[in-house]
Amino acid sequence: MRFFESFELALKNILAGKMRAFLTMLGIIIGVMSVITIVGLGNGMENYMVDAFKSLGTDTLNIMITGRGSSRSVSEEKMYEIVEEHPEYFLKLSPMVSMGGVTVKLGSETLESPSVTGVSEDYLEMKQYLLMPGGRGLYYVDVRERANVCVVGTYVSETYFNGDAVGETLKISGRMFTIIGVMDIIADSGETEEGGADDVIFIPYSTAARMSGIGVLNSYTVTLVSEDLATPAKAAMEDELYDIFGSDNAYRVQSMSELLGTMTQMLSILITVLALIAGISLLVGGIGIMNIMLVSVTERTREIGIRKALGAKERYIMSQFVIEAATTSVIGGALGILAGFGLSAVATQVIAAMTEESLTVSPSIASVFMAFGISAVIGILFGYLPAKKAAKLNPIDALRYE
Amino acid sequence: MERNESPLIEFRSVSKHYYMGDNVVRACDEINMSIYKGEFVAIVGQSGSGKSTCMNIIGCLDVPTFGEYFLGGVSVGTLRKNALAEIRNEMIGFIFQQYNLLAKSNLRENVEIPLMYAGVSKSERRRRATDVLTKVGLGDKLKNRPNQLSGGQQQRVSIARALVGSPSIILADEPTGALDSKTGLEVLSMLRELNEEGNTVVLITHDSSIAARAQRVIRLEDGRVSYDGPVSAAPGVGGDVRTEVGV
């Protein structure tokens, strides 16, 4: 008896009891579906995170100086020196002065959302932000003179100045600032939104530092020659800072690409754990199959007896039941894959509707193959015991079985 | 009964013992018998006489505890399960009291089963199953399920299944037990025809009147052979019974 015939027989038996077969498969279906959806969710989250980090710049280092007591600190001139001393790693430096909680007013109207950041004249170039024609970026002279000038994002310009902001004025913490330039759209999506990447105001860091009353600048962004150099560049920066402070508690150097790596790793661990938990339902599904197969062997004791009397060898009976279990499991797996894709599509929609973020739950082909393989293996594994039981039945007793 | 040819079935002091706790049940106790090709033998006995055990051994479903069983000159007592399965497949055609057809399969599929395990190709199987079902008069019901048939028809399907592999022995275990007397007689005449065509038929029954249809009777009592000879001389299977069943 050939494999194909056993398979045909198995299929016939499964189709003879569709409802029962479906219920038997349900565990496998749910297991495969959850594994595929969870892995798909993981992929989606990873893609989303990579995109988010890319927009922050994976070719930059962020440096935070916390200082060591009040005795030592590092001046901005020293930071510029460090960057110039390592042209193999560093391109440009910009101090960052984040002005949280300032009020921005246009006439008597208060603008709630824009973030105000003090940066150097190089910042726009470092971030590759483009300016709309008709304006200019920050100049060195603006920094030196602590000029009250600013560059605004598209959202600010469009929303409050009908897209024609250059030359207009804004009040930031009671100071009058002249808008000297408007940036082109920054957001990847090509759409500006409140509180987004285009709802920003950049002013000279020197101005920002004075307004916030910061004596010593404590936050910097450095661009790197290449993204791949993130690790050695970070090390070089840390060495320099260690020489100044004599302690590694006084500063923190953050590499976006390193951070991305760490977070991706954490995410993949999380997803693996979740997928394993979902995998437990595959195991439970397998036990369900074994259970039904055992019942089926008992129900079909007489059939087994007849087959044996008519000359079926143990291995034929064995393969008949193993193939039946495996076929059940694999059909369950296939249905689970379909359900997994369905659920992924639904999850994508639900996430979009609930969070207004576009996170695509994308099941990987690898997880599909794995789910399929695992369900086949489970079928064979859990089909083995009932099949063994069937094959070992004594034909005389089996024939007499009522 | 002396013959020159070697017997098809030969029991040499065949015993089958079952151990139940400390008790030994001797289902077969040193049975000697020989059945030759072309014979129609009835093994008859009350329940507990050991005829079922005898049948199981003849049919290679069981092996003797002691003694030797030769089937076609081969001692089968020492064979492994797979070899026994092969012998059953090739040499024995079973007919059971309860027909033992597979309810989920149609008639042709039922009849094909022995050929399937013999590794016969699908088209050949179909052809032979169709032929033999036609022979037993069910050529028009190939696609029917067993439960759509009467008892007599079902037993004819199981005869077809027994015949399809051209076995050396047709082994019928109470083939009329579940049938009314009329259909029972039809089945018996069919067995007789098969015997006349040259098949060796071994009939197991508790019913002397059924046994009377055979040429030779082997009567078992308490696991031993109490009579082995022609039907005409068999005690309790004599002339009146033969008339009664209409021979």
Side-chain angles (χ1 to χ4, degrees), chain B residues 124-193:
Chain B
E124 174 72 3
R125 267 174 9 213
R126 287 197 165 189
R127 195 182 59 71
R128 281 166 68 178
T130 308
D131 284 355
V132 72
L133 275 166
T134 310
K135 186 180 168 178
V136 298
L138 292 169
D140 56 337
K141 292 193 165 56
L142 298 177
K143 295 274 171 94
N144 286 41
R145 296 284 175 93
N147 60 10
Q148 296 169 309
L149 269 57
S150 71
Q153 286 173 320
Q154 291 192 52
Q155 195 59 299
R156 278 193 270 157
V157 176
S158 93
I159 291 173
R161 186 179 63 188
L163 281 175
V164 75
S166 313
S168 315
I169 303 159
I170 299 202
L171 190 55
D173 180 21
E174 301 277 12
T176 60
L179 302 174
D180 62 65
S181 54
K182 186 167 164 284
T183 29
L185 282 176
E186 280 170 22
V187 165
L188 283 175
S189 352
M190 197 170 260
L191 287 179
R192 198 169 177 116
E193 275 171 40

Side-chain angles (χ1 to χ4, degrees), chain A residues 5 302 307-308 310 313, chain B residues 86 88-89 100 125:
Chain A
E5 279 176 330
R302 209 179 166 90
R307 289 183 182 279
K308 288 194 121 185
L310 298 180
K313 293 177 185 170
Chain B
E86 249 171 57
R88 285 198 295 274
N89 184 249
N100 280 343
R125 267 174 9 213

Side-chain angles (χ1 to χ4, degrees), chain A residues 37 41 340-354 359-361:
Chain A
T37 311
L41 196 64
F341 274 88
L343 189 64
S344 296
V346 170
T348 304
Q349 296 298 320
V350 168
I351 290 169
M354 281 173 60
L359 193 160
T360 312
V361 182

Side-chain angles (χ1 to χ4, degrees), chain B residues 15 17 62 67 77 83 102 124 129 137 148 161 164 166 177 188 195 202 222 242:
Chain B
S15 297
H17 293 181
D62 208 346
L102 299 187
E124 174 72 3
Q148 296 169 309
R161 186 179 63 188
V164 75
S166 313
L188 283 175
N195 174 244
V202 178
D222 298 329
R242 285 172 67 89

Side-chain angles (χ1 to χ4, degrees), chain A residues 153-156 158-159 185-187 189-194 196 198-199:
Chain A
T154 316
Y155 181 83
V156 177
E158 299 267 327
T159 315
I185 293 181
I186 296 168
S189 56
E191 284 174 35
T192 63
E193 53 182 348
E194 194 175 340
D198 293 289
D199 194 4

Side-chain angles (χ1 to χ4, degrees), chain B residues 54-218:
Chain B
C54 239
M55 187 209 82
N56 290 339
I57 291 173
I58 293 173
C60 294
L61 290 168
D62 208 346
V63 289
T65 319
F66 304 108
E68 275 192 293
Y69 168 39
F70 291 91
L71 179 60
V74 180
S75 172
V76 300
T78 53
L79 293 179
R80 302 176 71 90
K81 285 179 186 167
N82 276 342
L84 288 176
E86 249 171 57
I87 289 179
R88 285 198 295 274
N89 184 249
E90 285 169 20
M91 300 188 70
I92 316 282
F94 284 100
I95 300 168
F96 300 99
Q97 177 176 7
Q98 296 297 337
Y99 329 127
N100 280 343
L101 301 172
L102 299 187
K104 283 187 229 155
S105 304
N106 66 35
L107 302 194
R108 192 174 63 199
E109 287 163 346
N110 263 291
V111 173
E112 279 182 31
I113 295 171
L115 299 179
M116 181 172 80
Y117 292 125
V120 176
S121 77
K122 203 163 183 171
S123 54
E124 174 72 3
R125 267 174 9 213
R126 287 197 165 189
R127 195 182 59 71
R128 281 166 68 178
T130 308
D131 284 355
V132 72
L133 275 166
T134 310
K135 186 180 168 178
V136 298
L138 292 169
D140 56 337
K141 292 193 165 56
L142 298 177
K143 295 274 171 94
N144 286 41
R145 296 284 175 93
N147 60 10
Q148 296 169 309
L149 269 57
S150 71
Q153 286 173 320
Q154 291 192 52
Q155 195 59 299
R156 278 193 270 157
V157 176
S158 93
I159 291 173
R161 186 179 63 188
L163 281 175
V164 75
S166 313
S168 315
I169 303 159
I170 299 202
L171 190 55
D173 180 21
E174 301 277 12
T176 60
L179 302 174
D180 62 65
S181 54
K182 186 167 164 284
T183 29
L185 282 176
E186 280 170 22
V187 165
L188 283 175
S189 352
M190 197 170 260
L191 287 179
R192 198 169 177 116
E193 275 171 40
L194 293 176
N195 174 244
E196 279 158 11
E197 286 169 18
N199 291 294
T200 311
V201 179
V202 178
L203 177 67
I204 317 284
T205 181
H206 70 281
D207 187 341
S208 300
S209 65
I210 304 288
R213 299 287 297 199
Q215 302 162 340
R216 175 182 159 203
V217 168
I218 297 172

Side-chain angles (χ1 to χ4, degrees), chain A residues 196-276:
Chain A
D198 293 289
D199 194 4
V200 291
I201 299 171
F202 291 125
I203 61 175
Y205 71 86
S206 51
T207 316
R210 165 157 306 178
M211 285 168 73
S212 327
I214 299 172
V216 179
L217 297 171
N218 55 14
S219 177
Y220 297 87
T221 291
V222 187
T223 46
L224 303 176
V225 173
S226 151
E227 190 181 319
D228 307 329
L229 292 173
T231 309
K234 180 172 177 255
M237 179 58 76
E238 281 172 340
D239 284 349
E240 292 284 355
L241 292 172
Y242 188 86
D243 287 346
I244 294 166
F245 290 104
S247 155
D248 51 14
N249 288 327
Y251 52 86
R252 252 177 55 220
V253 181
Q254 235 179 26
S255 141
M256 278 300 167
S257 69
E258 238 182 43
L259 201 63
L260 177 63
T262 313
M263 290 191 61
T264 323
Q265 204 180 353
M266 272 165 56
L267 186 66
S268 69
I269 290 171
L270 181 74
I271 291 298
T272 309
V273 169
L274 285 176
L276 282 177

